[in-house]
Amino acid sequence: MDSSQLEVFRAILNKQLDQLLEQARTSKTQLAAGAAQEAEYLDRAAASTDQAMLLRFRTRESRLIKKVRLALERIDNGTYGECEICGEPISIQRLEARPVTTKCIDCKELEERDEAIYK
């Protein structure tokens, strides 16, 4: 992968990181606002369900933020776009579809088949 392609992916990842951090700030504000509200019994049950869903979203956001930061580190250290299992280049199409990926399609498919067998 050449330096211009790396810079395109760096820009994509930085934009994604900015969006995720903004979503995290919004979620945090919503959680705090929900906790401060006092309501009737049924309203509290609905609010509790909403907060549980927001917490799940926050967990997902946190994981994705970590993956984006790790992908940016891989760009910095020159390993971005290399499969962490076989060491072969990850296709540009795969990186465009999932910029945080660490595995080529062949290794990922093998991993998923193995997971399906052991479930």
Side-chain angles (χ1 to χ4, degrees):
M1 179 177 318
D2 65 36
S3 61
S4 65
Q5 289 172 315
L6 282 174
E7 289 309 312
V8 168
F9 284 110
R10 183 188 306 276
I12 290 168
L13 289 162
N14 278 319
K15 181 178 179 182
Q16 187 176 17
L17 183 60
D18 290 343
Q19 290 171 341
L20 287 166
L21 291 172
E22 180 57 36
Q23 288 172 359
R25 282 190 286 279
T26 301
S27 296
K28 186 176 180 181
T29 303
Q30 289 173 339
L31 282 170
Q37 294 176 350
E38 291 188 26
E40 302 269 337
Y41 176 74
L42 291 176
D43 290 339
R44 282 186 285 171
S48 177
T49 301
D50 289 346
Q51 284 201 331
M53 187 171 54
L54 275 174
L55 285 172
R56 282 193 301 271
F57 287 145
R58 285 279 317 249
T59 300
R60 279 184 174 159
E61 288 169 349
S62 295
R63 287 184 190 140
L64 189 51
I65 287 168
K66 183 177 179 180
K67 288 179 181 182
V68 169
R69 287 183 172 151
L70 289 171
L72 288 166
E73 284 179 25
R74 288 192 304 276
I75 288 174
D76 291 340
N77 70 26
T79 61
Y80 184 78
E82 293 176 12
C83 178
E84 69 181 9
I85 295 179
C86 69
E88 292 295 317
I90 300 170
S91 72
I92 296 295
Q93 294 83 6
R94 178 151 171 74
L95 289 168
E96 287 172 344
R98 185 152 173 80
V100 297
T101 193
T102 60
K103 298 175 184 99
C104 69
I105 193 70
D106 293 334
C107 289
K108 184 61 177 174
E109 287 176 349
L110 183 60
E111 178 183 75
E112 288 176 356
R113 271 186 254 135
D114 288 347
E115 287 175 1
I117 289 171
Y118 294 110
K119 280 188 177 182

